Amino acid sequence: MTTEMQPSQAGAIKLQVVKTAAIAVLIMVAVAALGYWISRAYVLKQAEKNITNLLLSHKGIHHYVQNIMLPAYRQYQEQGEILPTFYAPEILSSSYIVRNQHTFYNAERKAAGLPELYYKLAAHNPRNPINQADALETRLITMFNEDRSLKSYREIIEVDGKKELYIAIPFLENQERCLRCHGKRESAPRQLQERYPGEGGFNERLGDIRAITSIRSPLDKEYADIAIIVAAVVAGVLTLGLLFLFNTRLRSLVRQRTRDLEEEVLVRARAEESVRLANVELSAKNKDLEQILYVASHDLRSPLVNVQGFSKELSRDFAAMVEVLAQEEVSAQVKEELLPLIREDIPQSLNFIQNSVTKMDQLLSGLLRISRLGRAALAITTLEMNTVLSQVVADHEFLLQQHGASVAVEPLPNCRGDQVQVDQIFANLIGNAIKFRHPDRPCRIRITGRLSEEEAVYCVEDNGIGIAPQHQAKVFDIFHKLAPESEGQGLGLNIVRKILDRLGGRVWIESAAGQYCKFFVALPKVTDHGGGTAPTG
Amino acid sequence: MMMLTQQQRQGMNSEVVILIAEDDEGHAVLIRKNLLRAKIANAILHFKDGQEVLDFLLRRTQPGRQPGTAYLLLLDIRMPKVDGVEVLRQIKKDPALCKMPVTMLTTTDDPKEVARCHELGCNNYVTKPIDYDKFVQTVEQLGLFFSVVTIPSLNGY
């Protein structure tokens, strides 16, 4: 598995991360701007609402004074309850009442922990200097007078370094009844003249806008709220963005790994498929080979039947001829020339023919045996090897006695295999040990065994003529005979190897020429789940 | 070597015709010689492959199988055109032929092949030995076999 990414892949991922980061920053900025805008609009709206509420409440007081108190005052004057000359702004001026009421209102606000609201009925020409318009207000009074369609003015201003929403609304245009108190000084109520000695509040003209309602609502606290909200939103978006970025990176990594894995799986599948195909091909070829071997050895035997059959027929015919030649009528010369041929030369030739046929037949039988070996069904069971070996040794009892040989079998581990085939392996090895015994000493065969990590390994050791190192590799070849004059077809060890190939085992050799020979046979050992308690074949 | 008594030889129905299906001319000659030597004097017909013997038995050629005559067949396995196993299969599924004794006479001693032929219903399975003496003995035994089995004559259909 590749743990390192390819440079191009790393580049692609980096580009993707940069793109994602850029998108995240853009989104964050947009969200912050939107948040700021929405919060600001909300804050302004709240401030405006505060002001509107205040104005409405002031208007209510103005209306009360104008519509209830003043008519009642005049009625009481007419009825003589109140002196006709009586006037007190404290109880008769709506502006006075509203202004002073506002002072108490602010005090209450302050007590309740709320910011005070600036309120002023600002005028050019106020009766009370406290109402004197400041520069902005003076400018606005002029503006409202010049453009009567304007109904309000709205601005965010800075007062003592703090932001406030400022709203100005034009006061009433002067009407007849207003001029009773705001017209000529001499026509105003006496108490008014006495109370306000200056010209302030007098000499107003009909139709003029005398004053503006000037209100301010602090925005600082709200702006702090906006800052907190925006900061929170930005922090949230930033976190989300980072999470998203991380997620994207993670996903691209996962995708990359997944691709790598898929590729690897694909490569493995391909490799397995080609191994499988190779196996199929191999087993098909093996089958072909077995078939060819079988047919060839069978078909080759057919002519041999003829060669031997007819050479025997010839022997028989020549025997008959000898009888004929032995008759007296046959001339001495013919007898002298033919009889040696028929009695010696011809039988010798026929003998060679028949011996060759026999040998050929043995070779073919060997081939047939090998081809059958490959086709025989295997019954794999757990083999108790000491039982197996004692049977094999018993089968060789006669041969062993005949050659003064002996076999010692030590305790052997069990293994997994086909009993018939395993019998054959040890029969061949014991047979070989007897066949290739040393002429100077009695043949001693020792069979030992041990368990390795994966196999049961057996050793058939003899004290025979041994095999020189340069010949050891070839002894398992088919029809290979180190001693051409020895009996047999040179198949024994080839069969041993073939059987072990089929049983998943191995065979190898260790030998010193003239001293000993050890054949090692490894077979699958009995595993816990390999049927350790299975009955032996 | 088993010697056959005169009585046993006389037991052989001399009307029985021996059919030999054998692609190897030499083998056929050797079989014939040894049968004669075993004093089996029945008529012998030789066919060179499976197709020929089937044609004869199923009367696809003239002269074909004669109604009312008893036959026995010595059948080789590996032959051109139609092999012995196929011939055996066709004989055993034909109601007119299935009672005819069939002896497989072949070079193969493969146990699988032997089992297959017995499954298909051959009466006897003889391996051609390379050893001539054994061969002679085998043919002699065949003669004995022929002398003790009752060979049904095949009716006409």
Side-chain angles (χ1 to χ4, degrees):
Chain A
M1 179 173 162
T2 45
T3 46
E4 291 299 321
M5 271 184 284
Q6 300 297 309
S8 61
Q9 291 170 346
I13 285 180
K14 204 170 172 186
L15 190 71
Q16 183 143 19
V17 167
V18 167
K19 267 162 74 180
T20 313
I23 289 168
V25 165
L26 266 177
I27 289 172
M28 220 158 63
V29 167
V31 165
L34 191 71
Y36 175 79
W37 184 78
I38 289 171
S39 320
R40 188 173 177 273
Y42 176 76
V43 162
L44 285 177
K45 206 175 172 191
Q46 280 300 319
E48 229 174 287
K49 214 158 108 186
N50 284 344
I51 290 169
T52 308
N53 276 339
L54 189 68
L55 281 175
L56 290 175
S57 125
H58 286 180
K59 259 192 175 160
I61 296 168
H62 279 293
H63 285 309
Y64 178 80
V65 171
Q66 300 292 334
N67 298 328
I68 293 175
M69 283 181 73
L70 286 179
Y73 158 72
R74 281 183 202 110
Q75 196 190 336
Y76 289 132
Q77 272 188 330
E78 282 164 19
Q79 288 170 1
E81 299 279 354
I82 300 169
L83 288 174
T85 53
F86 176 78
Y87 180 79
E90 292 89 339
I91 51 173
L92 294 171
S93 164
S94 64
S95 311
Y96 189 98
I97 292 168
V98 167
R99 187 176 70 241
N100 286 290
Q101 173 275 143
H102 187 79
T103 311
F104 292 112
Y105 171 71
N106 265 344
E108 291 296 330
R109 277 185 73 92
K110 202 172 178 181
L114 293 167
E116 289 175 52
L117 296 179
Y118 170 94
Y119 168 79
K120 187 171 157 194
L121 191 65
H124 279 307
N125 175 31
R127 194 157 275 154
N128 187 336
I130 207 169
N131 290 330
Q132 182 62 52
D134 63 16
L136 171 68
E137 288 160 345
T138 307
R139 194 162 54 79
L140 289 174
I141 292 168
T142 311
M143 190 185 78
F144 282 124
N145 272 307
E146 283 166 3
D147 184 352
R148 297 298 170 96
S149 66
L150 288 176
K151 293 299 170 209
S152 74
Y153 175 82
R154 191 171 163 280
E155 190 188 352
I156 293 169
I157 58 170
E158 209 164 295
V159 182
D160 302 333
K162 291 179 177 176
K163 284 205 180 330
E164 297 198 350
L165 176 65
Y166 172 77
I167 288 184
I169 293 165
F171 200 63
L172 302 168
E173 291 174 356
N174 287 332
Q175 292 167 7
E176 267 322 328
R177 59 175 185 180
C178 304
L179 295 184
R180 249 185 84 188
C181 295
H182 291 285
K184 294 292 175 200
R185 184 182 175 85
E186 48 274 23
S187 54
R190 195 171 49 83
Q191 287 89 340
L192 203 67
Q193 293 179 40
E194 284 168 4
R195 191 177 188 100
Y196 301 107
E199 284 304 305
F202 298 110
N203 305 320
E204 289 291 333
R205 286 177 304 178
L206 194 69
D208 272 7
I209 292 169
R210 193 168 79 245
I212 56 170
T213 307
S214 187
I215 301 181
R216 298 206 298 254
S217 175
L219 291 174
D220 262 29
K221 192 175 172 292
E222 279 78 1
Y223 272 116
D225 289 350
I226 292 179
I228 288 168
I229 290 168
V230 170
V233 167
V234 167
V237 169
L238 194 71
T239 309
L240 279 177
L242 282 175
L243 279 175
F244 179 70
L245 197 72
F246 184 64
N247 183 37
T248 306
R249 203 180 141 72
L250 212 59
R251 266 156 62 151
S252 86
L253 259 175
V254 166
R255 255 204 308 277
Q256 184 61 41
R257 288 276 188 274
T258 307
R259 262 203 299 275
D260 286 352
L261 278 177
E262 278 170 356
E263 219 162 273
E264 201 183 315
V265 166
L266 206 69
V267 166
R268 275 193 196 173
R270 275 198 208 114
E272 272 165 22
E273 176 64 9
S274 64
V275 166
R276 196 187 65 80
L277 284 179
N279 269 337
V280 167
E281 202 180 331
L282 208 62
S283 65
K285 272 189 179 160
N286 251 341
K287 215 170 166 185
D288 279 358
L289 205 65
E290 301 286 356
Q291 191 61 26
I292 288 167
L293 201 61
Y294 168 74
V295 169
S297 45
H298 175 269
D299 286 3
L300 288 174
R301 283 183 98 190
S302 261
L304 285 185
V305 171
N306 282 335
V307 174
Q308 181 146 40
F310 285 105
S311 64
K312 283 278 183 179
E313 287 293 328
L314 284 176
S315 297
R316 198 185 279 267
D317 293 345
F318 283 123
M321 279 173 75
V322 169
E323 277 176 31
V324 172
L325 284 173
Q327 286 169 8
E328 284 177 15
E329 300 89 73
V330 179
S331 76
Q333 195 198 345
V334 171
K335 281 182 184 172
E336 196 179 320
E337 284 184 16
L338 282 183
L339 276 175
L341 291 179
I342 295 173
R343 280 193 177 139
E344 289 161 31
D345 291 12
I346 289 174
Q348 191 193 31
S349 302
L350 289 173
N351 209 35
F352 271 116
I353 290 173
Q354 278 160 19
N355 283 345
S356 297
V357 166
T358 305
K359 201 169 170 189
M360 186 72 148
D361 182 47
Q362 282 169 354
L363 288 173
L364 293 177
S365 299
L367 276 178
L368 266 176
R369 266 168 66 209
I370 284 185
S371 90
R372 272 177 208 157
L373 208 62
R375 291 183 292 151
L378 295 177
I380 305 291
T381 57
T382 296
L383 301 179
E384 281 199 24
M385 290 303 280
N386 279 97
T387 314
V388 170
L389 260 299
S390 61
Q391 186 57 50
V392 174
V393 172
D395 290 345
H396 285 75
E397 205 49 59
F398 176 73
L399 203 63
L400 289 165
Q401 279 184 6
Q402 197 181 2
H403 297 101
S406 65
V407 182
V409 181
E410 293 186 4
L412 303 173
N414 294 348
C415 69
R416 301 279 299 166
D418 176 283
Q419 202 203 332
V420 176
Q421 309 273 335
V422 172
D423 276 0
Q424 181 80 61
I425 292 172
F426 287 95
N428 286 7
L429 292 179
I430 291 172
N432 268 12
I434 298 170
K435 197 188 289 176
F436 300 107
R437 65 194 178 277
H438 200 285
D440 298 344
R441 52 183 180 253
C443 173
R444 295 278 172 270
I445 303 167
R446 198 166 75 102
I447 298 171
T448 56
R450 64 185 164 83
L451 281 175
S452 78
E453 227 167 86
E454 284 167 0
E455 309 168 300
V457 182
Y458 306 94
C459 175
V460 178
E461 180 183 359
D462 65 43
N463 59 346
I465 57 174
I467 300 167
Q470 66 269 28
H471 300 311
Q472 289 178 9
K474 282 197 159 185
V475 293
F476 297 104
D477 290 355
I478 190 164
F479 293 135
H480 185 82
K481 288 177 76 171
L482 283 179
E485 70 285 353
S486 68
E487 53 193 291
Q489 294 95 57
L491 283 175
L493 290 177
N494 183 260
I495 286 172
V496 166
R497 195 179 58 182
K498 273 206 151 210
I499 290 173
L500 283 165
D501 281 350
R502 288 193 76 202
L503 296 181
R506 307 182 287 140
V507 59
W508 66 96
I509 189 172
E510 193 186 301
S511 178
Q515 295 177 40
Y516 70 90
C517 194
K518 288 179 180 175
F519 280 98
F520 292 91
V521 170
L523 281 159
K525 74 174 183 183
V526 181
T527 53
D528 291 340
H529 52 275
T533 55
T536 53
Chain B
M1 188 187 296
M2 182 172 296
M3 296 307 293
L4 300 174
T5 65
Q6 193 62 36
Q7 199 177 7
Q8 278 170 329
R9 281 168 197 145
Q10 279 170 346
M12 177 82 183
N13 184 345
S14 59
E15 294 305 311
V16 174
V17 176
I18 298 174
L19 309 176
I20 300 176
E22 171 65 71
D23 66 319
D24 191 308
E25 201 70 43
H27 290 197
V29 169
L30 288 173
I31 293 165
R32 199 193 282 260
K33 277 192 174 209
N34 284 289
L35 284 174
L36 279 173
R37 218 169 267 141
K39 302 285 189 272
I40 291 176
N42 299 52
I44 294 174
L45 290 175
H46 175 220
F47 303 90
K48 286 198 291 295
D49 58 53
Q51 188 65 55
E52 271 192 12
V53 76
L54 277 179
D55 286 347
F56 172 83
L57 287 171
L58 300 171
R59 298 205 196 106
R60 288 190 290 228
T61 49
Q62 287 302 324
R65 173 172 59 86
Q66 297 300 308
T69 306
Y71 295 95
L72 72 80
L73 175 60
L74 297 184
L75 187 56
D76 190 15
I77 289 182
R78 283 183 55 79
M79 287 187 292
K81 294 182 187 170
V82 180
D83 73 16
V85 175
E86 182 55 30
V87 171
L88 178 64
R89 185 180 290 123
Q90 293 209 20
I91 286 170
K92 288 304 166 187
K93 77 177 184 192
D94 187 317
L97 299 174
C98 63
K99 285 180 183 156
M100 179 176 70
V102 179
T103 291
M104 306 309 288
L105 184 58
T106 176
T107 42
T108 304
D109 60 351
D110 184 358
K112 275 191 203 164
E113 201 83 301
V114 177
R116 191 148 70 111
C117 291
H118 279 299
E119 259 170 47
L120 285 172
C122 79
N123 302 67
N124 196 9
Y125 190 105
V126 178
T127 307
K128 287 177 199 166
I130 206 100
D131 183 325
Y132 190 73
D133 295 334
K134 278 190 197 157
F135 191 84
V136 171
Q137 193 180 349
T138 304
V139 176
E140 286 248 357
Q141 278 174 345
L142 266 182
L144 176 64
F145 173 73
F146 295 158
S147 68
V148 292
V149 294
T150 312
I151 296 170
S153 55
L154 303 176
N155 52 23
Y157 65 91

